[in-house]
Amino acid sequence: MRLAPAAPPLLAAALLLSLPAWGREVWHATRALQPGDVLRPQDVEAVVPRRDGPAFIDAERDIIGQEVRRRIRANAPIPERDIGERVAVRAAQMVRVFWKSAGVTLEMEGRAMEAGAVGEEIRVHNAGSGRTIRALVVADGTAEVRGRP
């Protein structure tokens, strides 16, 4: 008796993705969402997708309050890459930067070279000194230098 050869891994993966989602609900946009929109409860709904994809966000995960990074069509499933933590500093925005050491606090104003959410490190340019430093975003429009400036 001769057995049929096993399907190649890519073919097997394609077949799995074409199967029904078996009830897995993922987040779908209820309206067209634009970059910069902050997700509200009325912007999303849990729906079983027609075709499942690994990048779609499970409806069990809380995404309310996250920011839209790329345009999302109404009634479309929301991919992981299209949303993220809300940006507290935008690229080219003027930001306050603090540096604290041994009881001394220095404050400067700089221009953010990149966007960042709270907890992310960004580059900030100080026009006065001509230097670019790395600072941690701590609040809207505010960053803090850890260690040496």
Side-chain angles (χ1 to χ4, degrees), residues 59-130:
E60 297 166 357
R61 188 170 134 208
D62 182 19
I63 61 171
I64 304 306
Q66 297 223 350
E67 186 171 344
V68 176
R69 301 270 189 247
R70 298 179 183 185
R71 189 172 60 86
I72 303 170
R73 292 179 291 110
N75 303 315
I78 301 174
E80 182 78 39
R81 70 172 190 225
D82 290 356
I83 66 169
E85 292 299 319
R86 192 177 71 76
V87 173
V89 172
R90 302 220 177 266
Q93 173 185 347
M94 295 305 289
V95 294
R96 290 178 17 178
V97 180
F98 293 95
W99 178 67
K100 299 174 186 176
S101 179
V104 176
T105 300
L106 298 175
E107 179 182 349
M108 65 168 244
E109 187 174 69
R111 182 170 305 277
M113 304 297 292
E114 53 201 352
V118 171
E120 291 182 336
E121 193 174 76
I122 62 169
R123 292 177 301 130
V124 178
H125 181 73
N126 179 347
S129 70

Side-chain angles (χ1 to χ4, degrees), residues 23-27 46-49 57-60:
R24 179 184 114 137
E25 290 185 327
V26 300
W27 289 120
V47 176
V48 176
I57 302 170
D58 284 324
E60 297 166 357

